[in-house]
Amino acid sequence: MDWQLGGLPLHPLLVHLTSVAVPVAALVAIAVAVWPAARRWLAVGAPLIALVALVSVPLATSSGEWLESREKETALLQRHTELADGLLPWSIAVFALLVLWWGWHRFGIARVTNGGAVRAVAVVGPVLLVAVGVVSLVEVVVIGHAGAVSVWQG
């Protein structure tokens, strides 16, 4: 695919989408994990936000690979591209956990009669959501910083 519009590469535009969508999804994951009112307020919106973030990651990486093939290879650019390859699994995890968390609160709690299972999910779910949210935030910052360094210092 030709990742340009009007002769300009689309990668910067798609990177900005990703650098906003992934942190927003991560913050939403953290919010619904620790704040029940946010879970009720966001409801199905939380997984939808995470879906936008998830879709933006392969778009940004594909456009970045296209752009990389047209640029001089440097160690800084190589570091950025290697780091960027690690974001997709975390975006998948945020999306999947938000879907499961939403589904659990929408359909699961009322049907489970085992109080131990409810308590286990009530502890494990938020811990996982916060963990993947924090890691996603850190990943985006590290990848973005490496990309900026490769452009401005490379």
Side-chain angles (χ1 to χ4, degrees):
M1 179 172 180
D2 187 21
W3 290 97
Q4 59 183 345
L5 181 65
L8 297 173
L10 286 173
H11 185 64
L13 177 65
L14 294 170
V15 162
H16 282 89
L17 171 63
T18 302
S19 65
V20 170
V22 171
V24 168
L27 292 172
V28 164
I30 293 167
V32 300
V34 300
W35 189 22
R39 183 173 48 246
R40 288 186 299 274
W41 182 70
L42 289 166
V44 75
L48 290 176
I49 292 167
L51 179 61
V52 170
L54 176 59
V55 169
S56 75
V57 172
L59 292 174
T61 54
S62 293
S63 65
E65 289 167 356
W66 176 87
L67 185 58
E68 179 187 23
S69 70
R70 284 151 179 78
E71 294 292 323
K72 182 180 127 190
E73 188 166 330
T74 65
L76 294 173
L77 182 58
Q78 185 65 32
R79 174 169 163 65
H80 171 64
T81 57
E82 287 173 1
L83 289 169
D85 289 337
L87 185 58
L88 185 59
W90 294 107
S91 296
I92 291 169
V94 168
F95 173 69
L97 287 172
L98 278 172
V99 168
L100 291 171
W101 193 240
W102 171 78
W104 171 254
H105 284 282
R106 177 72 173 94
F107 305 108
I109 284 180
R111 296 180 184 195
V112 176
T113 57
N114 182 349
V118 171
R119 282 191 296 278
V121 171
V123 171
V124 173
V127 168
L128 289 174
L129 279 167
V130 169
V132 298
V134 168
V135 172
S136 293
L137 284 169
V138 170
E139 284 281 316
V140 166
V141 170
V142 170
I143 293 165
H145 182 264
V149 168
S150 74
V151 168
W152 296 106
Q153 292 180 2

